[in-house]
Amino acid sequence: EPEVTQTPSHQVTQMGQEVILRCVPISNHLYFYWYRQILGQKVEFLVSFYNNEISEKSEIFDDQFSVERPDGSNFTLKIRSTKLEDSAMYFCASGGTSGRHTGELFFGEGSRLTVL
Amino acid sequence: GQNIDQPTEMTATEGAIVQINCTYQTSGFNGLFWYQQHAGEAPTFLSYNVLDGLEEKGRFSSFLSRSKGYSYLLLKELQMKDSASYLCAAPRSNDYKLSFGAGTTVTVRA
């Protein structure tokens, strides 16, 4: 069964460093998302991406963050100059095929980022 | 915007039934989802309601009332593995951005 894959599963970084989280969405999906979940808190929307551009970003998604779809398969989240409060689980999700989106999102297993 | 409310915690014993309520206010309605999330893992799809009424899927059922902005997830014959967080979520109609409630942590005791 097709699935969303994310790498790395865990990353530890020093404050101020740049981090790139990678995602391979399900191949025929057209909508891509990044969500974040700080330990013990709710799943929070960061950004949605459709037709090779950001369709919406939350107030969390400031200039520190960027997303790219560098080729036909990868969808990356870059966090520049990481801060302690960026420590969280980052989930990639995808959904919607050509002409149809049920609203269901398929989530990757997540990338746990720890900023020291 | 989307505003989704659900209880924070519920505890039940193995074999029992638990009902998790969710109230929502959304700008435009495009259905209501329930996801299950075990600690440290990704949310996984449980159910989707777009019409009023009850959708049954094995031990799990989900109910929707659009006029009341209300849904519930019913878990029957609880098993220890059902201990998890249950997330009520509503997609926005234009780009299907999913907004989650804070989640209800269900603890199943022996």
Side-chain angles (χ1 to χ4, degrees):
Chain A
E1 186 173 324
E3 59 182 17
V4 177
T5 58
Q6 289 185 240
T7 54
S9 55
H10 295 83
Q11 181 152 358
V12 179
T13 191
Q14 296 293 321
M15 195 166 55
Q17 296 297 302
E18 177 181 283
V19 161
I20 297 176
L21 306 179
R22 292 183 168 80
C23 170
V24 179
I26 293 173
S27 61
N28 62 341
H29 284 175
L30 301 177
Y31 295 80
F32 313 114
Y33 310 82
W34 282 101
Y35 283 80
R36 178 180 84 174
Q37 187 174 33
I38 294 169
L39 188 64
Q41 298 187 22
K42 68 187 287 185
V43 178
E44 300 175 289
F45 169 78
L46 289 178
V47 66
S48 57
F49 194 88
Y50 172 73
N51 202 26
N52 287 318
E53 61 183 20
I54 290 174
S55 49
E56 187 186 351
K57 53 187 180 181
S58 72
E59 57 192 28
I60 302 168
F61 195 90
D62 58 21
D63 292 343
Q64 183 195 5
F65 294 88
S66 62
V67 288
E68 269 193 332
R69 190 157 160 78
D71 53 42
S73 59
N74 290 284
F75 179 51
T76 63
L77 174 69
K78 183 188 290 186
I79 310 173
R80 286 179 282 274
S81 190
T82 49
K83 299 175 284 195
L84 295 176
E85 54 264 39
D86 295 328
S87 295
M89 182 77 97
Y90 289 81
F91 292 108
C92 174
S94 69
T97 57
S98 178
R100 188 162 187 266
H101 195 323
T102 63
E104 181 183 355
L105 299 189
F106 296 79
F107 285 84
E109 291 298 310
S111 294
R112 181 170 295 287
L113 176 65
T114 302
V115 181
L116 302 177
Chain B
Q2 325 277 83
N3 191 33
I4 299 170
D5 290 309
Q6 53 183 129
T8 306
E9 296 181 328
M10 302 185 77
T11 301
T13 52
E14 210 171 2
I17 298 173
V18 71
Q19 177 174 315
I20 307 168
N21 297 322
C22 170
T23 57
Y24 64 89
Q25 294 171 310
T26 57
S27 52
F29 181 74
N30 199 50
L32 200 290
F33 285 88
W34 284 95
Y35 279 79
Q36 181 190 57
Q37 186 180 29
H38 284 99
E41 298 183 10
T44 55
F45 170 80
L46 282 180
S47 69
Y48 173 58
N49 293 67
V50 66
L51 300 175
D52 289 351
L54 188 68
E55 294 272 345
E56 297 190 75
K57 193 185 291 186
R59 294 189 298 112
F60 294 1
S61 305
S62 55
F63 172 84
L64 177 68
S65 168
R66 288 173 294 173
S67 62
K68 294 180 180 176
Y70 167 70
S71 173
Y72 68 72
L73 179 69
L74 194 69
L75 286 63
K76 294 179 278 190
E77 299 170 22
L78 280 172
Q79 301 175 9
M80 299 299 286
K81 67 179 182 179
D82 297 330
S83 292
S85 185
Y86 291 85
L87 315 178
C88 181
R92 196 166 55 184
S93 55
N94 54 350
D95 66 354
Y96 304 96
K97 166 195 156 188
L98 203 58
S99 294
F100 287 92
T104 300
T105 301
V106 171
T107 303
V108 181
R109 299 195 193 281

